[in-house]
Amino acid sequence: MTHVRILTEALGGSPLSRLIQTGDAPPAWVGVRPRSAAEWRELALARRAERDWGRCWDALAPAIGATGAAAERLERVRQQGGVVVTTGQQPGLFGGPVYTWSKALGALAFADALERETGVATAAVFWAATDDADFDEAAYTVLARAGGAEKVRSEHAPPAGTPMSLAPLGDVSSLLTRLRDSAGSIADPRALEASVGAYADPRRSVGEAYVALLRELLAPLGIPVIDASHAAVQTVSRDTLASALTNAGGVAEALSQRGREMRAAGFEPQVEEMRELSLVFAREAGIKRRLSIVEAAAFAADERAVLTPNVLLRPLVERAILPTLAYLGGPGELAYFAQVSAVADALGVERPLALPRWSCTLIEPHVQRLLDAFGVGYEALAQRDALEGAVARKAMSERSAAAIGGLREAINGLTADLSGEATPLGLDKAVEGARHSLQHRVDRLERRLVAGIKRREQSLLQDVGTLRAALYPLGTRQERALNLIPMLSRHGLDLLDEMRDAAGAHAGALVAHG
């Protein structure tokens, strides 16, 4: 047992995302959610009967490269005619933020719950979106240190439009050292060893390193990782991509109509509409280029073209090549599924189902002790600088605090104290103006005192910085920024099992209520 507190959180997101999370979105925008174990079983049986999935598994095996428990679970799904649930994420340095792992473990918990409640063999598959070309997103991670958070970043930027599967990793040994240093006292070296094993070779691509790390840590839990850039994925995806190109004009019109519907209902589409462009990228000389509708038909017929989907088409590709029941997504992903359904309708295929993923905050024992010492909950870190100000005010001497309080009390009493004289003379506005001016001066004086106390109370404020780095690094929720590898090194890989267990309640609710 690691003694790390694992708190399940509300997922949050835009009004559109929250509408989808609650299941209240218009039926035309989203897939129909099963609302009981019996309905999930019915859906699972229908999915496994749709096609010969064994041929798909054979074709995709090189792209999945499953080993150990992951391979065993997939083989059981295959032999028993089972299904999968999926989630995924684009590459992030050293695995990216906590939500890379909470997504995977939440999907595993959901697969466990589905199998337990329906009797249908189910696996969770993590889709590593290595065909993504956003190097700025893939190049950095955030580390928690005593006194504050540190953003570490690779500067080995490839040409714009390079998929991460082709972007050279380069020498990141100095960043690995900073990752190791941020762990402090290491109780379990396996997570760091996995990171070094994945990222030490500069000849690897960014995508290859990411996939290697995920597989090393997730395979023992039974979670296979599919590399979206692998040639096997491109081959089995070809029919769906060609269909999207052949029907590019109709897809664009369907998305335009859906956008009008959403705006009429008061929601803004998550993905910007680009009517002259298809939903398919072609890779030319190692660079991704989104194909126009004008050239779409020619590329649909070109068997040599290397094609990949954009975010609105990827869920349809995934559903076509895997016996997927549902995708577990974050707030932004859920929002774009309101447009994905329009694409599915235009192509005459079933709408993929998206469900809200599990979200969490992890509180280590030393972080909890600091929270207790300050007498606050972790939510106190959400508002930038609020806790720092509160700490400084608490450190102010009683005499100074009393003086400031006395000034405020005297100023607030001016209106009543002077009204007997001021009102007959018509000077009420002048008194009120003076009160506001004096209050402003006291506010300014207090701010300057607090700033001075902050400089003086460096030890206390370093502790606040430590808290902020652990819980709201760089002003962002922990799950969306903080790297998990140092925490796994301090507390052990058992934390991954504990996260899966903590996600169980969320998974059970999805099975029971959709």
Side-chain angles (χ1 to χ4, degrees):
M1 185 174 179
T2 68
H3 302 293
V4 174
R5 287 182 64 204
I6 303 172
L7 306 179
T8 295
E9 302 275 21
L11 195 55
S14 67
L16 174 60
S17 179
R18 294 196 297 272
L19 186 77
I20 294 172
Q21 290 173 45
T22 59
D24 295 323
W29 295 4
V30 292
V32 177
R33 290 189 188 183
R35 298 290 182 177
S36 67
E39 291 183 10
W40 278 111
R41 178 175 169 80
E42 182 180 355
L43 178 62
L45 295 178
R47 277 295 282 153
R48 74 180 188 183
E50 285 183 14
R51 64 181 299 181
D52 179 7
W53 293 110
R55 297 180 63 182
C56 289
W57 288 124
D58 284 342
L60 288 172
I64 298 174
T67 60
E72 292 170 7
R73 187 151 187 172
L74 272 189
E75 182 60 21
R76 181 161 53 80
V77 165
R78 176 175 179 167
Q79 293 298 325
Q80 297 181 20
V83 294
V84 301
V85 295
T86 58
T87 192
Q89 185 60 33
Q90 66 196 66
L93 184 62
F94 306 141
V98 170
Y99 67 53
T100 298
W101 310 97
S102 60
K103 275 185 166 186
L105 297 164
L108 178 60
F110 184 49
D112 290 343
L114 279 173
E115 184 169 296
R116 183 175 59 250
E117 297 299 324
T118 67
V120 177
T122 309
V125 175
F126 190 95
W127 185 282
T130 55
D131 54 335
D132 187 85
D134 188 352
F135 178 76
D136 286 342
E137 185 72 20
Y140 81 94
T141 195
V142 178
L143 306 175
R145 296 186 180 278
E150 177 189 16
K151 186 175 184 178
V152 298
R153 177 181 176 83
S154 169
E155 299 302 330
H156 302 291
T162 302
M164 293 302 98
S165 58
L166 300 179
L169 179 63
D171 184 359
V172 295
S173 57
S174 64
L175 305 184
L176 281 167
T177 297
R178 288 153 78 178
L179 178 73
R180 184 185 298 108
D181 290 346
S182 71
S185 178
I186 298 173
D188 183 344
R190 288 176 292 173
L192 278 172
E193 289 171 352
S195 301
V196 171
Y199 284 86
D201 187 349
R203 296 169 297 180
R204 270 184 163 166
S205 73
V206 172
E208 286 171 336
Y210 178 68
V211 169
L213 176 59
L214 292 184
R215 286 177 175 166
E216 182 69 19
L217 296 183
L218 294 180
L221 299 170
I223 306 174
V225 176
I226 186 168
D227 183 350
S229 290
H230 197 282
V233 175
Q234 294 166 18
T235 298
V236 297
S237 302
R238 180 76 199 192
D239 288 347
T240 303
L241 296 169
S243 177
L245 288 172
T246 302
N247 298 284
V251 169
E253 180 54 42
L255 284 172
S256 181
Q257 174 61 31
R258 179 57 49 81
R260 290 191 292 270
E261 293 172 4
M262 294 170 70
R263 292 185 183 94
F267 300 100
E268 190 64 26
Q270 178 75 9
V271 180
E272 182 181 359
E273 195 177 309
M274 303 180 75
R275 293 204 61 179
E276 72 281 5
L277 297 179
S278 75
L279 302 186
V280 179
F281 290 93
R283 188 184 300 169
E284 300 171 329
I287 301 297
K288 284 177 66 174
R289 179 176 68 85
R290 190 165 169 183
L291 297 173
S292 69
I293 291 177
V294 172
E295 61 187 333
F299 275 85
D302 185 355
E303 293 291 337
R304 297 169 301 174
V306 178
L307 306 176
T308 55
N310 88 330
V311 294
L312 296 182
L313 187 58
R314 182 187 58 75
L316 302 187
V317 166
E318 182 184 299
R319 193 180 188 281
I321 67 176
L322 293 170
T324 307
L325 285 190
Y327 179 88
L328 277 74
E333 292 171 307
L334 292 175
Y336 69 61
F337 266 82
Q339 293 164 273
V340 169
S341 58
V343 179
D345 292 348
L347 296 181
V349 298
E350 290 293 325
R351 299 170 180 173
L353 176 62
L355 297 173
R357 66 171 176 84
W358 176 63
S359 178
C360 68
T361 292
L362 308 174
I363 302 181
E364 297 178 79
H366 75 277
V367 173
Q368 186 62 57
R369 285 193 292 271
L370 286 176
L371 289 172
D372 293 342
F374 285 115
V376 298
Y378 75 99
E379 303 90 345
L381 281 301
Q383 187 175 346
R384 187 179 294 274
D385 298 331
L387 184 56
E388 288 87 339
V391 168
R393 289 181 178 87
K394 189 174 181 180
M396 187 183 294
S397 70
E398 292 185 6
R399 185 172 182 178
S400 294
I404 293 291
L407 281 171
R408 291 193 187 284
E409 186 176 353
I411 291 168
N412 288 333
L414 277 179
T415 301
D417 292 342
L418 297 179
S419 62
E421 193 106 46
T423 300
L425 296 173
L427 296 176
D428 284 346
K429 288 186 178 180
V431 171
E432 191 63 18
R435 188 180 70 81
H436 281 297
S437 177
L438 291 169
Q439 188 66 64
H440 174 73
R441 287 174 177 270
V442 173
D443 289 343
R444 185 178 177 188
L445 173 62
E446 184 181 35
R447 284 195 298 271
R448 295 185 68 177
L449 277 170
V450 167
I453 293 168
K454 285 182 180 180
R455 290 191 293 271
R456 185 187 71 198
E457 300 293 336
Q458 283 302 305
S459 177
L460 282 174
L461 292 179
Q462 178 161 332
D463 287 343
V464 175
T466 299
L467 279 177
R468 191 170 295 286
L471 299 173
Y472 281 87
L474 306 181
T476 303
R477 266 194 60 197
Q478 178 201 76
E479 189 185 48
R480 302 192 65 81
L482 190 66
N483 193 284
L484 185 64
I485 298 300
M487 199 183 302
L488 292 174
S489 301
R490 288 190 291 270
H491 301 285
L493 295 184
D494 286 350
L495 178 58
L496 297 176
D497 292 301
E498 292 174 9
M499 290 172 67
R500 177 199 59 206
D501 293 343
H506 176 78
L510 290 178
V511 173
H513 307 296

